[in-house]
Amino acid sequence: VDGPAKAARGEYCDASKTEFPCAQGKGYYGRGAIQLSWNYNYGPCGRDLNEGDLLATPEKVAQDQVLAFKASFWYWTTNVRSSFKSGFGATIRAVNSRECSGGDSTEKAVNRVRYFQDYCG
């Protein structure tokens, strides 16, 4: 919800990732089924999926439904899949490291576990 506002403040752009520099005026906040975020994810995602320069056009992930899911599958296979066998907490951490590493409230992680348990029930 607050992704565009955070992007306007320069959040979601890690300037130390020089291989994938942020384009001026572009926001790399969460888009897609598994909220693709940060320049260091948009850059390689666009490259690996042959979708062009997603650093220059990150909004394409929100505008193209097929690309939104392709980006989510890319993120899952690149960043999450290897953690899957380690349990649900490890999977949450792989999707959003702030939830299980103390950055965001523990309540968010607890709620995510509850949602998962409700869904499975």
Side-chain angles (χ1 to χ4, degrees), residues 88 92 96 98-117:
F88 191 63
I92 293 171
N96 184 350
R98 294 184 54 85
E99 283 189 17
C100 283
S101 299
D104 284 344
S105 73
T106 305
E107 183 180 334
K108 284 185 178 181
V110 170
N111 284 338
R112 190 177 298 272
V113 171
R114 283 189 196 129
Y115 297 146
F116 179 75
Q117 289 170 331

Side-chain angles (χ1 to χ4, degrees), residues 82-91:
S82 63
S83 302
F84 192 69
K85 291 181 181 180
S86 297
F88 191 63
T91 304

Side-chain angles (χ1 to χ4, degrees), residues 44-52 54 67 69-74:
C45 179
R47 178 198 62 209
D48 294 350
L49 295 178
N50 295 315
E51 288 292 340
L54 289 183
L67 176 56
F69 276 90
K70 287 167 90 177
S72 296
F73 288 128
W74 174 87

Side-chain angles (χ1 to χ4, degrees), residues 3 18 46 58 63 66 84 93 96 117:
T18 57
Q63 295 167 347
V66 173
F84 192 69
R93 189 177 310 109
N96 184 350
Q117 289 170 331

